[in-house]
C-alpha cells in the first residue's frame, strides 16, 4: 500500500512538473511568435511536443510557424529580386552612384550575395575611372573646350548602355512570354 501511494505521489509530481514546463514553453513560443521570431517559436513548440506529443495547440502553431517562415523567405527573395533589377537597370544606364545604393541594400538583406558584391565593385571602379578621366582633362588644360564634349560623350554612352540593357530586357521578356 505504501509503495502504491509512493508511486502515485511520484507520478503526480512528474505530471505537475511536466505541465509546468509545457506552460513555460508555450508562453515563450507564443511570445516569440508575436514578435515574428518564427524559428525560435517553432523550437519552443517542438519542446512542448517532445513533452506532450498529442498537444494539438502546439502542433497547429508549429505548422503555422513553418508557413510564416516560408512566406518570409519568399517575401525577402522577391524584394531582393526587385532591388537587383533596379540596381542593374541603373548600372546598365551608366548611373553607378545610384546603382550602388541598391547593391548596398541587397547586401544589407544578404551580406553573402556575390552579384551585389561584384556589381558594387564595378560601380566603384566606374566612379574612380570617371574621376581619373576628369582629373586628367583638368590637369592637361583641356577641360574647358573638351568638358562639354566629355559630358556629351558620357551621356551618349549612358543612353547606349540603357538602350542595350532595354534590348536585352525586351528579348528576355518576349522569350518568357512565348515559352
Amino acid at each position: 500500500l505504501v509503495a502504491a501511494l509512493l508511486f502515485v505521489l511520484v507520478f503526480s509530481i512528474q505530471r505537475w512538473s511536466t505541465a509546468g514546463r509545457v506552460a513555460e514553453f508555450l508562453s515563450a513560443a507564443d511570445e516569440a511568435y508575436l514578435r515574428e521570431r518564427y524559428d525560435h517559436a517553432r523550437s519552443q513548440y517542438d519542446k512542448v511536443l517532445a513533452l506532450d506529443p498529442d498537444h494539438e495547440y502546439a502542433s497547429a502553431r508549429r505548422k503555422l510557424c513553418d508557413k510564416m517562415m516560408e512566406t518570409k523567405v519568399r517575401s525577402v527573395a522577391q524584394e531582393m529580386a526587385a532591388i537587383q533589377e533596379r540596381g542593374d537597370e541603373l548600372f546598365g544606364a551608366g548611373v553607378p552612384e545610384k546603382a550602388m545604393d541598391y547593391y548596398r541594400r541587397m547586401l544589407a538583406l544578404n551580406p553573402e550575395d556575390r552579384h551585389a558584391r561584384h556589381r558594387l565593385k564595378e560601380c566603384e571602379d566606374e566612379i574612380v575611372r570617371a574621376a581619373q578621366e576628369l582629373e586628367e582633362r583638368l590637369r592637361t588644360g583641356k577641360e574647358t573646350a573638351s568638358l562639354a564634349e566629355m559630358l556629351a560623350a558620357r551621356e551618349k554612352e549612358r543612353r547606349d548602355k540603357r538602350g542595350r540593357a532595354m534590348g536585352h530586357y525586351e528579348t528576355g521578356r518576349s522569350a518568357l512570354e512565348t515559352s
Side-chain angles (χ1 to χ4, degrees):
L1 181 65
V2 173
L5 221 79
L6 191 57
F7 176 76
V8 169
L9 181 63
V10 169
F11 182 74
S12 297
I13 290 172
Q14 280 183 328
R15 189 166 186 166
W16 177 75
S17 174
T18 300
R21 290 175 57 204
V22 165
E24 182 182 320
F25 292 142
L26 279 176
S27 177
D30 288 342
E31 184 177 330
Y33 185 88
L34 290 174
R35 293 177 188 263
E36 297 181 4
R37 294 185 55 221
Y38 304 117
D39 55 337
H40 182 67
R42 184 178 188 271
S43 73
Q44 295 299 308
Y45 290 126
D46 283 341
K47 290 177 182 179
V48 171
L49 292 169
L51 294 172
D52 182 0
D54 298 326
H55 200 286
E56 291 179 20
Y57 176 79
S59 181
R61 294 293 281 197
R62 184 184 181 283
K63 289 177 185 174
L64 196 55
C65 285
D66 289 342
K67 286 183 182 179
M68 296 305 287
M69 286 190 296
E70 283 178 34
T71 301
K72 200 171 190 179
V73 166
R74 220 177 4 256
S75 175
V76 169
Q78 290 169 341
E79 184 178 356
M80 287 282 290
I83 293 169
Q84 178 178 328
E85 182 178 347
R86 183 65 179 138
D88 288 347
E89 285 173 2
L90 289 167
F91 181 79
V95 190
E97 302 86 1
K98 290 183 180 179
M100 288 176 76
D101 292 336
Y102 288 90
Y103 298 128
R104 286 185 183 123
R105 284 176 56 195
M106 287 177 66
L107 290 172
L109 291 171
N110 178 7
E112 304 300 318
D113 191 284
R114 292 169 62 192
H115 177 79
R117 286 185 181 282
H118 176 72
R119 280 299 172 100
L120 194 56
K121 174 76 171 112
E122 285 183 324
C123 288
E124 291 167 351
D125 292 347
E126 177 60 25
I127 290 169
V128 167
R129 186 191 65 74
Q132 288 172 340
E133 185 179 308
L134 180 59
E135 184 180 298
E136 176 63 24
R137 289 183 178 271
L138 289 171
R139 190 178 58 73
T140 60
K142 299 177 182 176
E143 77 283 350
T144 24
S146 62
L147 188 56
E149 293 172 6
M150 183 189 79
L151 291 174
R154 296 260 333 189
E155 184 57 32
K156 182 181 181 323
E157 183 180 326
R158 284 183 181 177
R159 280 194 305 262
D160 291 348
K161 280 185 178 179
R162 178 150 176 81
R164 285 192 302 273
M166 290 307 291
H168 294 301
Y169 171 77
E170 291 297 326
T171 303
R173 192 177 83 190
S174 64
L176 284 174
E177 288 173 354
T178 58
S179 58

